[in-house]
Amino acid sequence: MRKRIDINKLNSLACVTDILNAEYRAKGISNRIEFDAKSLVWYYTEMIKAHRKSVGITQRQLAEMIGVSPQYISKFERGEVEISVTTFIQLTEAIGLRFALAIA
């Protein structure tokens, strides 16, 4: 038997935007700009790491493919280094992803 949704609990849930605004301020404010940028970096890093693992490529193999140390790949996947756009494109292509930039 399915539980019934408690409308009062549902209505009392905070919206993600409200939480982010309370913690990091509104979009366009320096704290929020920094948070949003770091969030995107985390997202792309996790996407690359998950795909690398799904295609069975080790950090060592990936490092050899693009000419960097395995430690560099490890640091990248832990978010400890910032990489250039060139390196980002090399990483994505090495694991079979295609990076495209769309101007909106």
Side-chain angles (χ1 to χ4, degrees):
M1 177 180 235
R2 291 176 63 175
K3 289 186 175 182
R4 295 189 63 110
I5 295 175
D6 184 337
I7 297 299
N8 292 326
K9 281 186 178 180
L10 185 62
N11 289 334
S12 68
L13 291 174
C15 172
V16 171
T17 301
D18 293 339
I19 294 168
L20 290 174
N21 287 345
E23 183 73 23
Y24 299 102
R25 306 189 107 140
K27 283 192 176 286
I29 305 297
S30 63
N31 287 356
R32 182 63 177 271
I33 292 169
E34 183 180 348
F35 173 81
D36 289 345
K38 286 181 179 180
S39 296
L40 280 175
V41 169
W42 176 85
Y43 174 77
Y44 290 129
T45 302
E46 288 297 312
M47 186 173 42
I48 290 170
K49 180 170 58 173
H51 190 73
R52 174 188 62 75
K53 289 179 177 182
S54 75
V55 296
I57 297 173
T58 66
Q59 287 181 344
R60 181 172 300 286
Q61 290 168 326
L62 180 56
E64 290 172 1
M65 293 166 94
I66 67 167
V68 298
S69 71
Q71 294 80 11
Y72 183 82
I73 299 297
S74 177
K75 286 181 179 182
F76 163 72
E77 290 186 354
R78 291 192 316 266
E80 294 176 2
V81 295
E82 291 189 21
I83 63 172
S84 68
V85 173
T86 303
T87 303
F88 181 80
I89 292 169
Q90 288 175 327
L91 282 168
T92 58
E93 290 178 349
I95 62 173
L97 293 175
R98 183 169 174 228
F99 175 73
L101 180 62
I103 299 174

XYZ file of all heavy atoms in Angstrom:
832
model
N 0.837 -1.176 0.000
C 0.000 0.000 0.000
C 0.888 1.247 0.000
O 1.846 1.329 0.758
C -0.914 -0.024 1.222
C -1.773 1.191 1.366
S -2.815 1.099 2.816
C -4.378 1.342 2.074
N 0.576 2.183 -0.859
C 1.349 3.425 -0.951
C 0.974 4.374 0.160
O -0.184 4.496 0.533
C 1.087 4.099 -2.287
C 1.664 3.322 -3.444
C 1.321 3.933 -4.750
N 1.894 5.273 -4.852
C 1.831 6.006 -5.934
N 1.216 5.562 -6.997
N 2.360 7.204 -5.962
N 2.016 5.046 0.690
C 1.757 6.066 1.693
C 1.176 7.289 1.023
O 1.533 7.614 -0.106
C 3.049 6.455 2.404
C 3.585 5.408 3.330
C 4.763 5.966 4.080
C 5.253 4.984 5.101
N 6.367 5.522 5.879
N 0.334 7.960 1.732
C -0.237 9.204 1.223
C 0.762 10.328 1.438
O 1.473 10.359 2.434
C -1.543 9.527 1.934
C -2.618 8.491 1.652
C -3.943 8.939 2.188
N -4.360 10.162 1.518
C -5.363 10.229 0.656
N -6.042 9.148 0.382
N -5.705 11.352 0.093
N 0.804 11.233 0.521
C 1.697 12.386 0.645
C 1.091 13.363 1.647
O -0.086 13.708 1.569
C 1.881 13.069 -0.724
C 2.606 12.130 -1.675
C 2.625 14.388 -0.581
C 2.738 12.657 -3.084
N 1.914 13.774 2.588
C 1.493 14.761 3.573
C 1.679 16.148 2.957
O 2.798 16.650 2.840
C 2.326 14.614 4.850
C 1.875 15.538 5.968
O 1.243 16.575 5.680
O 2.185 15.220 7.129
N 0.590 16.758 2.548
C 0.632 18.050 1.872
C 1.264 19.117 2.759
O 2.004 19.977 2.268
C -0.786 18.482 1.432
C -1.353 17.486 0.417
C -0.775 19.893 0.857
C -0.546 17.352 -0.856
N 1.029 19.070 4.058
C 1.620 20.059 4.964
C 3.146 19.955 4.969
O 3.835 20.971 4.946
C 1.069 19.908 6.388
C -0.393 20.284 6.471
O -0.841 21.183 5.759
N -1.140 19.591 7.311
N 3.660 18.722 5.005
C 5.111 18.539 4.942
C 5.646 19.000 3.595
O 6.684 19.650 3.509
C 5.489 17.069 5.160
C 5.485 16.631 6.585
C 6.007 15.213 6.693
C 6.066 14.769 8.120
N 6.573 13.384 8.226
N 4.944 18.653 2.544
C 5.362 19.037 1.210
C 5.410 20.554 1.074
O 6.374 21.112 0.551
C 4.405 18.442 0.174
C 4.765 18.643 -1.284
C 6.098 17.988 -1.601
C 3.667 18.082 -2.173
N 4.426 21.236 1.570
C 4.381 22.702 1.487
C 5.421 23.378 2.363
O 5.806 24.517 2.110
C 2.988 23.226 1.833
C 1.974 22.906 0.757
O 2.325 22.742 -0.406
N 0.715 22.793 1.145
N 5.899 22.683 3.386
C 6.886 23.287 4.287
C 8.325 23.076 3.830
O 9.254 23.626 4.413
C 6.720 22.742 5.709
O 7.082 21.374 5.755
N 8.505 22.289 2.766
C 9.857 22.062 2.243
C 10.423 23.352 1.661
O 9.717 24.104 0.994
C 9.857 20.977 1.173
C 9.565 19.564 1.638
C 9.461 18.625 0.442
C 10.620 19.076 2.595
N 11.684 23.565 1.927
C 12.342 24.752 1.380
C 12.716 24.512 -0.078
O 13.088 23.408 -0.461
C 13.585 25.076 2.196
N 12.648 25.544 -0.847
C 13.039 25.507 -2.253
C 14.566 25.619 -2.326
O 15.187 26.344 -1.546
C 12.382 26.674 -2.971
S 12.936 26.913 -4.650
N 15.185 24.905 -3.246
C 16.640 24.948 -3.393
C 17.119 26.381 -3.625
O 18.125 26.812 -3.060
C 17.099 24.020 -4.541
C 18.564 24.225 -4.858
C 16.811 22.580 -4.210
N 16.393 27.118 -4.431
C 16.773 28.508 -4.703
C 16.786 29.323 -3.414
O 17.705 30.126 -3.187
C 15.811 29.148 -5.732
O 15.860 28.383 -6.925
C 16.195 30.586 -6.024
N 15.803 29.120 -2.555
C 15.755 29.842 -1.281
C 16.943 29.480 -0.394
O 17.542 30.340 0.250
C 14.448 29.552 -0.529
C 13.227 30.107 -1.248
O 13.391 31.034 -2.071
O 12.115 29.607 -0.981
N 17.296 28.209 -0.386
C 18.440 27.759 0.421
C 19.730 28.373 -0.114
O 20.548 28.893 0.649
C 18.523 26.218 0.438
C 17.320 25.633 1.173
C 19.831 25.753 1.076
C 17.168 24.132 1.003
N 19.913 28.324 -1.429
C 21.125 28.907 -2.023
C 21.180 30.411 -1.810
O 22.239 30.964 -1.503
C 21.196 28.585 -3.516
C 21.480 27.135 -3.862
C 21.377 26.907 -5.360
C 22.841 26.719 -3.354
N 20.069 31.081 -1.944
C 20.040 32.523 -1.720
C 20.381 32.863 -0.271
O 21.078 33.837 0.001
C 18.682 33.121 -2.095
C 18.457 33.184 -3.585
O 19.395 33.054 -4.373
N 17.217 33.369 -3.983
N 19.898 32.057 0.667
C 20.191 32.306 2.083
C 21.667 32.066 2.388
O 22.292 32.818 3.137
C 19.324 31.407 2.963
N 22.239 31.023 1.785
C 23.624 30.667 2.075
C 24.626 31.475 1.263
O 25.649 31.909 1.775
C 23.830 29.172 1.798
C 25.197 28.647 2.121
C 25.480 28.505 3.597
O 24.533 28.388 4.392
O 26.672 28.511 3.965
N 24.337 31.669 -0.023
C 25.329 32.272 -0.920
C 24.877 33.580 -1.564
O 25.571 34.120 -2.397
C 25.715 31.271 -2.028
C 26.316 30.025 -1.471
C 25.576 28.862 -1.357
C 27.627 30.015 -1.021
C 26.131 27.709 -0.831
C 28.192 28.870 -0.487
C 27.432 27.728 -0.397
O 27.975 26.586 0.131
N 23.702 34.043 -1.215
C 23.089 35.257 -1.750
C 22.526 35.009 -3.141
O 22.661 33.939 -3.710
C 24.065 36.416 -1.720
C 24.650 36.633 -0.317
C 25.396 37.877 -0.315
N 24.623 38.868 0.425
C 25.184 39.722 1.239
N 26.470 39.723 1.399
N 24.447 40.580 1.863
N 21.935 36.028 -3.683
C 21.262 35.902 -4.973
C 22.267 35.787 -6.117
O 23.426 36.175 -5.981
C 20.347 37.100 -5.193
N 21.795 35.272 -7.247
C 22.647 35.187 -8.430
C 23.192 36.568 -8.755
O 22.509 37.563 -8.618
C 21.858 34.653 -9.612
C 21.646 33.163 -9.544
C 21.120 32.640 -10.875
C 20.987 31.162 -10.876
N 22.248 30.450 -10.957
N 24.460 36.601 -9.174
C 25.091 37.868 -9.525
C 25.941 38.458 -8.418
O 26.786 39.301 -8.666
N 25.739 38.020 -7.195
C 26.550 38.473 -6.060
C 27.802 37.601 -6.031
O 27.773 36.420 -6.337
C 25.762 38.346 -4.727
C 24.427 39.097 -4.798
C 26.583 38.787 -3.543
C 24.544 40.598 -4.993
N 28.946 38.189 -5.642
C 30.226 37.479 -5.761
C 30.243 36.112 -5.087
O 30.781 35.152 -5.655
C 31.373 38.344 -5.236
O 31.205 38.603 -3.861
N 29.673 35.970 -3.894
C 29.649 34.652 -3.225
C 28.909 33.628 -4.066
O 29.330 32.479 -4.184
C 28.973 34.741 -1.863
C 29.804 35.436 -0.827
O 30.944 35.803 -1.075
N 29.240 35.628 0.343
N 27.802 34.040 -4.651
C 26.980 33.117 -5.445
C 27.673 32.791 -6.767
O 27.621 31.653 -7.239
C 25.608 33.733 -5.696
C 24.652 32.867 -6.469
C 24.318 31.564 -5.709
N 23.355 30.790 -6.444
C 22.043 30.912 -6.321
N 21.543 31.764 -5.444
N 21.246 30.187 -7.037
N 28.312 33.767 -7.380
C 29.032 33.519 -8.631
C 30.112 32.468 -8.402
O 30.260 31.523 -9.171
C 29.633 34.828 -9.186
C 28.511 35.759 -9.646
C 30.613 34.537 -10.321
C 28.969 37.169 -9.964
N 30.855 32.620 -7.308
C 31.910 31.655 -6.971
C 31.321 30.276 -6.701
O 31.829 29.262 -7.177
C 32.704 32.145 -5.760
C 33.844 31.243 -5.385
C 34.630 31.742 -4.171
O 34.439 32.891 -3.749
O 35.441 30.950 -3.659
N 30.222 30.213 -5.941
C 29.570 28.942 -5.643
C 29.093 28.269 -6.923
O 29.316 27.071 -7.132
C 28.384 29.143 -4.693
C 27.579 27.892 -4.498
C 27.991 26.914 -3.609
C 26.420 27.673 -5.230
C 27.257 25.745 -3.438
C 25.682 26.509 -5.071
C 26.104 25.546 -4.173
N 28.437 29.024 -7.793
C 27.926 28.457 -9.039
C 29.062 27.920 -9.907
O 28.945 26.852 -10.507
C 27.109 29.498 -9.808
C 25.762 29.803 -9.147
O 25.334 29.028 -8.274
O 25.151 30.823 -9.526
N 30.160 28.656 -9.969
C 31.308 28.209 -10.770
C 31.884 26.913 -10.203
O 32.167 25.964 -10.951
C 32.369 29.303 -10.816
N 32.060 26.846 -8.891
C 32.598 25.630 -8.263
C 31.643 24.454 -8.441
O 32.079 23.305 -8.601
C 32.891 25.877 -6.788
C 34.112 26.729 -6.569
C 34.403 26.939 -5.096
C 35.656 27.775 -4.922
N 35.973 28.007 -3.515
N 30.357 24.732 -8.429
C 29.367 23.671 -8.634
C 29.491 23.068 -10.027
O 29.418 21.854 -10.199
C 27.950 24.210 -8.448
O 27.749 24.646 -7.143
N 29.673 23.928 -11.022
C 29.838 23.436 -12.389
C 31.107 22.621 -12.540
O 31.107 21.565 -13.191
C 29.854 24.595 -13.380
C 28.496 25.167 -13.759
C 28.664 26.393 -14.645
C 27.631 24.124 -14.444
N 32.182 23.089 -11.936
C 33.443 22.335 -11.991
C 33.252 20.964 -11.368
O 33.666 19.943 -11.930
C 34.584 23.112 -11.285
C 35.819 22.234 -11.107
C 34.930 24.376 -12.061
N 32.603 20.905 -10.212
C 32.348 19.622 -9.547
C 31.514 18.717 -10.451
O 31.831 17.531 -10.626
C 31.628 19.846 -8.217
C 31.254 18.558 -7.553
C 32.031 17.790 -6.746
C 30.003 17.862 -7.677
N 31.340 16.654 -6.361
C 30.095 16.689 -6.911
C 28.817 18.133 -8.356
C 29.048 15.780 -6.810
C 27.779 17.221 -8.253
C 27.899 16.056 -7.483
N 30.477 19.265 -11.054
C 29.586 18.484 -11.913
C 30.349 17.883 -13.098
O 30.248 16.685 -13.370
C 28.435 19.365 -12.398
C 27.535 18.685 -13.400
C 26.598 17.742 -12.985
C 27.630 18.964 -14.757
C 25.773 17.107 -13.897
C 26.809 18.333 -15.675
C 25.881 17.406 -15.243
O 25.079 16.778 -16.145
N 31.112 18.700 -13.798
C 31.859 18.213 -14.960
C 32.927 17.200 -14.551
O 33.148 16.208 -15.247
C 32.481 19.362 -15.745
C 31.458 20.210 -16.466
C 31.453 21.586 -16.330
C 30.491 19.630 -17.283
C 30.510 22.370 -16.995
C 29.550 20.399 -17.944
C 29.559 21.766 -17.799
O 28.635 22.531 -18.446
N 33.574 17.438 -13.431
C 34.583 16.498 -12.943
C 33.954 15.147 -12.641
O 34.484 14.098 -13.031
C 35.279 17.063 -11.685
O 35.871 18.314 -12.008
C 36.330 16.115 -11.148
N 32.828 15.157 -11.963
C 32.139 13.903 -11.631
C 31.670 13.189 -12.896
O 31.733 11.961 -12.982
C 30.952 14.165 -10.695
C 31.371 14.525 -9.287
C 32.121 13.403 -8.593
O 31.652 12.237 -8.617
O 33.193 13.672 -8.022
N 31.209 13.944 -13.883
C 30.763 13.351 -15.137
C 31.926 12.668 -15.846
O 31.796 11.532 -16.327
C 30.156 14.443 -16.032
C 29.535 13.917 -17.292
S 28.631 15.151 -18.256
C 29.678 16.579 -18.192
N 33.072 13.331 -15.901
C 34.248 12.748 -16.550
C 34.724 11.511 -15.795
O 35.009 10.477 -16.384
C 35.376 13.798 -16.681
C 34.970 14.851 -17.721
C 36.709 13.142 -17.055
C 35.880 16.055 -17.770
N 34.788 11.610 -14.471
C 35.239 10.473 -13.659
C 34.299 9.274 -13.837
O 34.760 8.139 -14.040
C 35.315 10.869 -12.186
C 35.770 9.738 -11.279
C 36.076 10.176 -9.860
C 34.941 10.843 -9.150
N 35.224 11.112 -7.723
N 32.999 9.504 -13.792
C 32.032 8.413 -13.937
C 32.143 7.769 -15.315
O 32.109 6.532 -15.433
C 30.616 8.935 -13.707
N 32.317 8.568 -16.344
C 32.428 8.003 -17.687
C 33.745 7.239 -17.846
O 33.770 6.170 -18.458
C 32.299 9.093 -18.760
C 32.177 8.519 -20.131
N 31.035 7.888 -20.577
C 33.063 8.438 -21.148
C 31.223 7.458 -21.803
N 32.451 7.788 -22.177
N 34.825 7.800 -17.300
C 36.119 7.103 -17.352
C 35.983 5.706 -16.761
O 36.419 4.714 -17.347
C 37.192 7.891 -16.579
C 38.525 7.140 -16.483
C 39.521 7.819 -15.577
N 39.145 7.942 -14.185
C 39.156 6.947 -13.288
N 39.494 5.718 -13.638
N 38.809 7.169 -12.033
N 35.347 5.623 -15.599
C 35.169 4.324 -14.943
C 34.257 3.408 -15.745
O 34.508 2.203 -15.838
C 34.607 4.527 -13.540
C 35.605 5.127 -12.567
C 34.985 5.318 -11.192
C 35.988 5.847 -10.191
N 35.371 5.968 -8.840
N 33.203 3.976 -16.331
C 32.239 3.143 -17.070
C 32.840 2.525 -18.328
O 32.397 1.460 -18.758
C 30.986 3.943 -17.423
O 31.231 4.834 -18.488
N 33.841 3.184 -18.909
C 34.491 2.618 -20.099
C 35.735 1.807 -19.739
O 36.431 1.308 -20.624
C 34.825 3.704 -21.158
C 33.555 4.334 -21.693
C 35.779 4.747 -20.628
N 36.020 1.688 -18.444
C 37.090 0.818 -17.983
C 38.496 1.372 -18.150
O 39.445 0.603 -18.288
N 38.623 2.691 -18.128
C 39.943 3.314 -18.230
C 40.396 3.711 -16.824
O 39.656 4.353 -16.089
C 39.899 4.562 -19.144
C 39.524 4.154 -20.565
C 41.236 5.294 -19.142
C 39.280 5.328 -21.511
N 41.609 3.302 -16.467
C 42.145 3.670 -15.156
C 42.710 5.091 -15.211
O 42.946 5.649 -16.287
C 43.276 2.715 -14.724
O 44.383 2.887 -15.619
C 42.806 1.259 -14.707
N 42.955 5.633 -14.030
C 43.590 6.950 -13.968
C 44.962 6.905 -14.639
O 45.339 7.829 -15.353
C 43.733 7.420 -12.516
C 42.434 7.836 -11.885
C 42.611 8.321 -10.467
O 43.629 8.094 -9.818
N 41.593 9.014 -9.960
N 45.693 5.839 -14.417
C 47.025 5.688 -15.021
C 46.925 5.658 -16.547
O 47.687 6.324 -17.246
C 47.709 4.430 -14.503
C 49.109 4.208 -15.072
C 49.848 3.065 -14.405
N 50.046 3.230 -12.978
C 50.916 4.053 -12.400
N 51.672 4.806 -13.144
N 51.038 4.110 -11.098
N 45.989 4.901 -17.070
C 45.825 4.829 -18.521
C 45.449 6.193 -19.101
O 45.985 6.609 -20.123
C 44.751 3.800 -18.886
C 45.169 2.371 -18.627
C 44.004 1.404 -18.729
O 42.868 1.738 -18.385
N 44.290 0.195 -19.213
N 44.534 6.882 -18.435
C 44.123 8.194 -18.904
C 45.296 9.166 -18.884
O 45.502 9.923 -19.835
C 42.963 8.727 -18.053
C 42.420 10.110 -18.428
C 41.987 10.156 -19.889
C 41.265 10.486 -17.499
N 46.069 9.115 -17.822
C 47.242 9.986 -17.713
C 48.199 9.738 -18.876
O 48.698 10.690 -19.490
C 47.945 9.753 -16.377
N 48.441 8.470 -19.188
C 49.334 8.133 -20.305
C 48.768 8.626 -21.637
O 49.508 9.083 -22.498
C 49.573 6.625 -20.351
C 50.425 6.111 -19.208
C 50.500 4.589 -19.139
O 49.899 3.908 -20.004
O 51.150 4.079 -18.198
N 47.461 8.566 -21.782
C 46.819 8.971 -23.035
C 46.993 10.465 -23.315
O 47.104 10.860 -24.476
C 45.326 8.622 -22.998
C 45.041 7.142 -22.982
S 43.334 6.798 -22.533
C 42.587 6.699 -24.134
N 47.012 11.267 -22.250
C 47.094 12.714 -22.481
C 48.427 13.311 -22.045
O 48.617 14.523 -22.134
C 45.919 13.469 -21.826
C 45.974 13.401 -20.298
C 44.586 12.941 -22.341
C 45.041 14.371 -19.624
N 49.344 12.473 -21.575
C 50.690 12.939 -21.255
C 50.841 13.689 -19.950
O 51.605 14.653 -19.868
N 50.114 13.234 -18.928
C 50.267 13.819 -17.590
C 50.509 12.692 -16.595
O 50.434 11.514 -16.947
C 49.023 14.653 -17.172
C 48.798 15.833 -18.111
C 47.770 13.786 -17.092
N 50.777 13.034 -15.360
C 51.008 12.001 -14.342
C 49.676 11.469 -13.807
O 48.669 12.176 -13.808
C 51.826 12.575 -13.181
O 51.035 13.470 -12.427
N 49.686 10.224 -13.331
C 48.480 9.684 -12.702
C 48.049 10.521 -11.486
O 46.866 10.642 -11.209
C 48.892 8.274 -12.277
C 50.024 7.918 -13.171
C 50.743 9.213 -13.436
N 49.029 11.100 -10.794
C 48.717 11.948 -9.642
C 47.909 13.175 -10.072
O 47.024 13.633 -9.344
C 49.997 12.395 -8.917
C 50.757 11.271 -8.251
C 51.623 10.463 -9.216
O 51.835 10.834 -10.366
N 52.115 9.319 -8.738
N 48.217 13.688 -11.256
C 47.486 14.844 -11.778
C 46.023 14.490 -12.020
O 45.120 15.254 -11.659
C 48.141 15.337 -13.077
C 47.499 16.573 -13.653
C 47.827 17.833 -13.175
C 46.561 16.484 -14.679
C 47.238 18.972 -13.702
C 45.975 17.620 -15.210
C 46.315 18.854 -14.718
O 45.722 19.972 -15.241
N 45.780 13.327 -12.602
C 44.405 12.874 -12.843
C 43.687 12.688 -11.509
O 42.532 13.094 -11.352
C 44.374 11.563 -13.671
C 45.023 11.762 -15.049
C 42.956 11.023 -13.798
C 44.330 12.769 -15.949
N 44.367 12.100 -10.549
C 43.780 11.904 -9.226
C 43.405 13.242 -8.587
O 42.304 13.402 -8.053
C 44.762 11.145 -8.329
O 44.235 11.009 -7.033
N 44.315 14.191 -8.654
C 44.034 15.516 -8.088
C 42.886 16.199 -8.819
O 42.044 16.845 -8.199
C 45.290 16.390 -8.131
C 46.323 16.004 -7.103
C 47.526 16.914 -7.176
C 48.562 16.533 -6.131
N 49.714 17.434 -6.164
N 42.839 16.044 -10.131
C 41.737 16.612 -10.907
C 40.414 16.024 -10.452
O 39.442 16.754 -10.206
C 41.947 16.350 -12.407
C 40.698 16.527 -13.219
C 40.169 17.795 -13.449
C 40.036 15.425 -13.744
C 39.010 17.952 -14.184
C 38.868 15.587 -14.475
C 38.359 16.849 -14.699
N 40.360 14.705 -10.312
C 39.114 14.043 -9.934
C 38.693 14.365 -8.499
O 37.518 14.242 -8.171
C 39.211 12.539 -10.161
C 39.243 12.175 -11.634
C 39.203 10.688 -11.903
O 39.270 9.881 -10.939
O 39.105 10.311 -13.086
N 39.628 14.772 -7.675
C 39.298 15.191 -6.307
C 39.046 16.698 -6.217
O 38.774 17.216 -5.142
C 40.422 14.797 -5.352
C 40.542 13.297 -5.131
C 41.459 12.946 -3.962
N 42.692 13.685 -3.897
C 43.871 13.306 -4.395
N 43.955 12.153 -5.028
N 44.942 14.053 -4.269
N 39.158 17.398 -7.335
C 38.918 18.834 -7.356
C 40.029 19.662 -6.749
O 39.810 20.790 -6.320
N 41.236 19.112 -6.756
C 42.366 19.796 -6.120
C 43.198 20.624 -7.092
O 44.076 21.356 -6.664
C 43.260 18.774 -5.419
C 42.568 18.092 -4.258
C 43.424 17.015 -3.614
O 44.585 16.810 -4.042
O 42.916 16.357 -2.696
N 42.951 20.481 -8.402
C 43.676 21.280 -9.391
C 42.688 21.841 -10.395
O 41.657 21.237 -10.683
C 44.760 20.472 -10.149
C 45.863 20.015 -9.234
C 44.158 19.299 -10.894
N 43.008 23.005 -10.898
C 42.239 23.582 -11.997
C 42.979 23.245 -13.270
O 44.208 23.290 -13.313
C 42.106 25.084 -11.823
C 41.222 25.467 -10.663
C 40.920 26.950 -10.625
O 41.040 27.636 -11.658
O 40.565 27.417 -9.541
N 42.231 22.895 -14.297
C 42.863 22.496 -15.546
C 42.518 23.502 -16.643
O 41.529 24.227 -16.550
C 42.451 21.069 -15.967
C 40.949 20.991 -16.246
C 42.865 20.058 -14.907
C 40.507 19.677 -16.842
N 43.327 23.493 -17.675
C 43.077 24.382 -18.812
C 41.970 23.793 -19.679
O 41.635 22.603 -19.584
C 44.355 24.535 -19.638
O 44.675 23.308 -20.270
N 41.429 24.611 -20.540
C 40.415 24.142 -21.484
C 41.017 23.070 -22.390
O 40.370 22.058 -22.691
C 39.849 25.316 -22.312
C 38.917 24.818 -23.407
C 39.127 26.301 -21.411
N 42.260 23.265 -22.790
C 42.936 22.285 -23.644
C 42.990 20.922 -22.960
O 42.658 19.894 -23.568
C 44.363 22.754 -23.975
O 44.285 24.031 -24.599
C 45.079 21.775 -24.882
N 43.384 20.887 -21.702
C 43.453 19.627 -20.957
C 42.071 19.027 -20.781
O 41.891 17.815 -20.907
C 44.136 19.839 -19.589
O 45.430 20.401 -19.806
C 44.266 18.537 -18.822
N 41.078 19.857 -20.515
C 39.704 19.378 -20.372
C 39.252 18.677 -21.648
O 38.694 17.578 -21.605
C 38.764 20.544 -20.035
C 37.334 20.136 -19.859
C 36.902 19.571 -18.670
C 36.420 20.306 -20.890
C 35.582 19.191 -18.511
C 35.100 19.930 -20.740
C 34.674 19.370 -19.540
N 39.526 19.291 -22.795
C 39.136 18.699 -24.069
C 39.902 17.397 -24.305
O 39.320 16.399 -24.757
C 39.327 19.704 -25.224
C 38.312 20.850 -25.069
C 39.171 19.022 -26.581
C 38.547 22.031 -25.976
N 41.188 17.375 -23.969
C 41.971 16.137 -24.111
C 41.382 15.025 -23.245
O 41.288 13.871 -23.688
C 43.429 16.377 -23.717
C 44.205 17.202 -24.702
C 45.607 17.519 -24.196
O 45.829 17.682 -22.994
N 46.546 17.628 -25.119
N 41.016 15.354 -22.005
C 40.424 14.368 -21.104
C 39.139 13.799 -21.679
O 38.942 12.581 -21.703
C 40.113 14.997 -19.737
C 41.254 15.212 -18.775
C 40.815 16.095 -17.624
C 41.757 13.886 -18.255
N 38.255 14.686 -22.120
C 36.965 14.212 -22.624
C 37.144 13.348 -23.867
O 36.518 12.292 -23.977
C 36.007 15.388 -22.915
O 36.597 16.285 -23.853
C 35.651 16.130 -21.642
N 37.999 13.782 -24.782
C 38.207 13.001 -26.007
C 38.865 11.658 -25.724
O 38.527 10.648 -26.360
C 39.018 13.810 -27.012
C 38.232 14.970 -27.593
C 39.030 15.817 -28.568
O 40.266 15.652 -28.662
O 38.399 16.662 -29.234
N 39.776 11.622 -24.762
C 40.478 10.379 -24.435
C 39.530 9.304 -23.909
O 39.760 8.115 -24.117
C 41.584 10.650 -23.418
N 38.457 9.717 -23.243
C 37.514 8.732 -22.701
C 36.277 8.566 -23.584
O 35.334 7.889 -23.211
C 37.108 9.065 -21.244
C 36.395 10.414 -21.160
C 38.315 9.000 -20.318
C 35.825 10.744 -19.795
N 36.312 9.202 -24.752
C 35.225 9.002 -25.706
C 34.068 9.966 -25.597
O 32.991 9.708 -26.133
N 34.271 11.069 -24.919
C 33.235 12.091 -24.863
C 33.595 13.205 -25.838
O 34.749 13.396 -26.174
C 33.128 12.693 -23.446
C 32.626 11.758 -22.354
C 32.686 12.461 -21.005
C 31.213 11.286 -22.641
N 32.598 13.923 -26.254
C 32.843 15.053 -27.139
C 32.407 16.323 -26.434
O 31.284 16.426 -25.968
C 32.058 14.882 -28.438
C 32.321 15.975 -29.414
C 31.761 15.643 -30.777
N 31.941 16.804 -31.613
C 31.020 17.323 -32.369
N 29.828 16.766 -32.424
N 31.256 18.387 -33.086
N 33.289 17.272 -26.356
C 33.002 18.550 -25.727
C 32.629 19.550 -26.807
O 33.326 19.685 -27.802
C 34.223 19.054 -24.943
C 34.039 20.426 -24.358
C 33.217 20.599 -23.264
C 34.654 21.518 -24.925
C 33.043 21.860 -22.723
C 34.480 22.780 -24.395
C 33.665 22.957 -23.283
N 31.516 20.228 -26.608
C 31.095 21.262 -27.557
C 30.670 22.490 -26.777
O 30.082 22.401 -25.704
C 29.927 20.747 -28.395
N 30.988 23.624 -27.310
C 30.634 24.899 -26.691
C 29.507 25.521 -27.482
O 29.605 25.657 -28.707
C 31.853 25.827 -26.678
C 31.668 27.202 -26.063
C 31.311 27.086 -24.586
C 32.942 28.018 -26.236
N 28.433 25.845 -26.808
C 27.289 26.471 -27.477
C 27.178 27.912 -27.010
O 27.226 28.191 -25.815
C 26.005 25.725 -27.142
N 27.064 28.803 -27.947
C 26.908 30.210 -27.612
C 25.412 30.511 -27.673
O 24.773 30.346 -28.714
C 27.689 31.103 -28.578
C 29.176 30.758 -28.468
C 27.444 32.582 -28.278
C 30.063 31.460 -29.460
N 24.889 30.906 -26.533
C 23.435 31.146 -26.453
C 23.136 32.632 -26.385
O 23.871 33.428 -25.967
C 22.862 30.444 -25.238
